Amino acid sequence: MSAPPVRHPAPAFDVFNVYFERIYDPTMHVVFTLDGEVDAEAMREATMRLVASDPYLRSRYAEVDGRPVWEEIPEELWDGAFVQVPAGDDEPLTTPPPPLDVRSGPQVRVNLYRREEGDIVAVTCHHGFCDATGALTLARDLFAVYRGIVDDPGFRPPSRAPYERNTDRVLALYSEEERRQALAEEEPFVDRWRFPIERTGRGTPRVARRTLAPERLGRIKTFGREHGATVNDVLIGAFFLAFQKIRDDPSDRGAPRSFLTSADLRRKYPGLYDDALLTNLSIAYEATLSAGEGAQLPEIVGPVTAITARKKSGSLGLATILFYEEIMAGGIPAVRTFFDQMIERYGASGHKNPVFSNLGVFDPGDYLPVPGKDGATLGIRDIQYLPCVCWPYGFLMIASTFRDRLTLGTAYEKGPYSTAVVERFLEYVDGYLP
C-alpha cells in the first residue's frame, strides 16, 4: 500500500490568489531575452533539480476534507516543468505562454524559445503559489542552479524544508486593539468604473507594452522631486488620467473614481520574511481621486502622494490580512461565497476598478552570469514581466524598469477588449508622463 502524499497547509493569501482565477488568469511570466543560446539540457536539468529542492514547487494545490493544502506530487509528473518551444514565428511578448495549472503542479514552468538573435527564457508560475517578487526570486534561483550545473554536472541546490507561508509574523506585530482599529478604519472597496469593452466573455490572450527611452525616466524622477513625489506616485497619476481619458465619459469628470494599487509587505516589514521569498506577501489597497476635464499631471500628483504617504505610514496590509483570515475562518465554502458575491456585483454594476502595479527595477546582476552553449557567456538584452491576463471587467497595468528603460504593460483577452483601445490607453499613459 502506497504512503499518502505529503501535504502542507495553504494559507489564506494562497487560497485567495488561487480563486482569483474566476476573474482573471493568475499565471505570471518573467521573460529573459538573451544574446545567444543556453545549454538546453542543462536548463532542463536545472528546472527539475529546482523543483526537487522545494516542497511547494513540487506540489499541486488541493482541497482535502475541506482544507486547502499544497500536496506533493510524484517525480514522474514533473516533466511539464520544462518546455522547449519548437522554432517558429511566435513572439512570447505579444502572445503569452500558456497558463499554468496550479491544481496539477509543479508550480514552475520554464519555456525555452529558440530565436536566431538569441534565446528567450520565460519562467512561469501561478499567483496562487507566489506574488511578483516570488516570481522574480524563482527566476533568480533557476539561473543560479543552471550556472551550478554548467560548472559541475553533479550540482544540486540545497533542499528547502517546508517554510512559513502565512502572514502570522505580520499579525504578531500588532496588538488586538491595533487590529480592531485597522479594520474599523479600512474603507470598503467600491467599484466606480471600468475599462472600455467590446463585449463580455472570453477571448484570445494578448500582451501589450510600451517601453520609454532612458532619458524619460530621468525626467520622471525630476518631476517627482519637484512635486515631492516618488516615481510610483507619478506613474499612478498618469495611469489615473489616462484611464479617465480612454473612457471619455462625462460622468467621470470631477467625480470620485477609484483604482487599486499594490504593495509588497516585504518592503513594509523588511527582514520579516527573508527566509520565505517564494510566497504571497503582496496586498492591494484602494485609492480614490477626482479630476476635471483637461486635468494634467501636476494637478493630480499631489493628491496621489498624500494617499500613498498615508497608506505607507499606517498599518499597511493589516486590514487585508484580517479580512482574508475572517473569511477563511468559514472554510472553503465561505471563500466560494465571497467570490460568487463579488462576481454578482460586477455583473450587476458593470464596474470593476482597474489595478496598477509597479514592479520596480529589474537588476540583471541578479541573474548573471549566464553561461551559454559551448562555453560562451551570454548577456541579457531585456527582462520583461508578463502580468496576469484579464478579461471583463478586470484591467491591470504594470510598470517595470530595466537598464533605465521604463516599460508599461498589460495582458488582456482580445475580443472582449479591443487591441487598438488597449494600445491607445498605453499611449495616453505615455503622453501624461514627463
Side-chain angles (χ1 to χ4, degrees):
M1 186 175 180
S2 59
V6 178
R7 295 178 178 130
H8 313 281
F13 269 41
D14 289 359
V15 175
F16 276 79
N17 280 294
V18 168
Y19 273 83
F20 276 124
E21 68 189 2
R22 296 188 60 185
I23 56 175
Y24 61 78
D25 174 13
T27 305
M28 309 174 292
H29 317 271
V30 187
V31 181
F32 298 82
T33 302
L34 308 173
D35 62 4
E37 285 191 16
V38 299
D39 183 325
E41 287 307 311
M43 185 63 76
R44 178 189 298 274
E45 192 60 33
T47 304
M48 297 306 169
R49 294 183 190 180
L50 183 61
V51 170
S53 72
D54 188 289
Y56 301 101
L57 277 176
R58 61 177 183 258
S59 293
R60 69 184 187 97
Y61 174 81
E63 291 166 6
V64 180
D65 298 327
R67 295 184 303 112
V69 297
W70 292 105
E71 181 179 274
E72 296 191 28
I73 60 176
E75 187 172 352
E76 58 266 25
L77 299 181
W78 298 358
D79 284 348
F82 182 86
V83 177
Q84 184 166 338
V85 181
D89 296 330
D90 182 43
E91 171 53 67
L93 293 185
T94 54
T95 302
L100 189 148
D101 185 355
V102 69
R103 290 175 173 79
S104 295
Q107 296 306 318
V108 62
R109 186 179 66 242
V110 177
N111 304 276
L112 174 60
Y113 299 80
R114 292 294 198 199
R115 295 289 183 268
E116 288 187 10
E117 63 274 18
D119 286 351
I120 295 174
V121 177
V123 181
T124 296
C125 59
H126 191 284
H127 212 324
F129 170 67
C130 67
D131 54 21
T133 297
L136 293 163
T137 301
L138 184 57
R140 185 194 66 197
D141 291 349
L142 172 72
F143 279 100
V145 177
Y146 170 71
R147 277 194 302 275
I149 289 174
V150 171
D151 291 341
D152 173 11
F155 173 83
R156 291 184 178 277
S159 293
R160 288 188 177 120
Y163 45 90
E164 188 173 316
R165 297 181 61 85
N166 59 44
T167 50
D168 288 354
R169 297 180 193 181
V170 175
L171 290 176
L173 300 175
Y174 296 93
S175 66
E176 286 296 330
E177 177 57 32
E178 289 171 323
R179 296 181 194 184
R180 283 194 293 269
Q181 182 177 349
L183 277 176
E185 293 175 352
E186 188 73 2
E187 296 180 2
F189 290 177
V190 179
D191 293 291
R192 294 179 166 93
W193 55 349
R194 61 164 168 78
F195 195 86
I197 66 170
E198 300 293 302
R199 59 172 175 82
T200 55
R202 303 296 302 275
T204 306
R206 288 288 183 268
V207 174
R209 66 188 183 114
R210 193 175 184 91
T211 298
L212 310 186
E215 57 266 23
R216 294 290 300 284
L217 184 59
R219 294 173 191 163
I220 292 169
K221 290 178 178 178
T222 299
F223 176 90
R225 286 193 294 269
E226 291 171 350
H227 292 81
T230 66
V231 169
N232 189 61
D233 295 332
V234 178
L235 292 171
I236 287 174
F239 173 74
F240 179 84
L241 292 172
F243 207 85
Q244 182 168 327
K245 185 173 182 178
I246 198 69
R247 283 171 53 82
D248 193 25
D249 186 336
S251 69
D252 291 341
R253 295 165 194 159
R257 293 291 180 261
S258 305
F259 59 92
L260 297 175
T261 190
S262 64
D264 189 337
L265 295 180
R266 299 171 187 83
R267 299 186 68 178
K268 171 68 175 177
Y269 308 100
L272 198 61
Y273 282 94
D274 286 351
D275 59 339
L277 290 179
L278 299 182
T279 48
N280 275 303
L281 289 170
S282 292
I283 59 98
Y285 64 87
E286 188 172 76
T288 301
L289 299 167
S290 60
E293 185 173 3
Q296 296 298 312
L297 196 57
E299 301 168 49
I300 201 77
V301 73
V304 170
T305 302
I307 291 170
T308 58
R310 185 176 71 253
K311 290 290 185 178
K312 290 175 185 176
S313 65
S315 55
L316 184 66
L318 178 57
T320 301
I321 292 170
L322 295 170
F323 179 67
Y324 281 2
E325 293 292 348
E326 182 179 354
I327 296 173
M328 279 297 298
I332 292 298
V335 175
R336 291 176 180 154
T337 297
F338 170 77
F339 279 91
D340 287 343
Q341 293 172 346
M342 178 191 296
I343 292 167
E344 287 173 6
R345 289 197 304 273
Y346 296 157
S349 70
H351 289 165
K352 166 112 179 43
N353 290 337
V355 181
F356 169 74
S357 181
N358 181 12
L359 305 184
V361 178
F362 297 160
D363 183 357
D366 290 341
Y367 311 97
L368 294 172
V370 180
K373 190 176 180 181
D374 302 325
T377 299
L378 306 183
I380 300 177
R381 291 165 44 207
D382 198 10
I383 303 175
Q384 293 290 333
Y385 185 93
L386 308 189
C388 303
V389 175
C390 293
W391 52 82
Y393 296 108
F395 187 83
L396 162 68
M397 190 189 86
I398 64 165
S400 62
T401 302
F402 177 75
R403 290 179 176 149
D404 292 331
R405 299 194 305 269
L406 175 68
T407 295
L408 312 171
T410 185
Y412 64 99
E413 291 203 344
K414 180 181 178 181
Y417 290 112
S418 161
T419 294
V421 173
V422 170
E423 294 284 0
R424 190 162 69 248
F425 171 75
L426 295 181
E427 180 182 348
Y428 289 164
V429 180
D430 182 352
Y432 280 112
L433 290 172

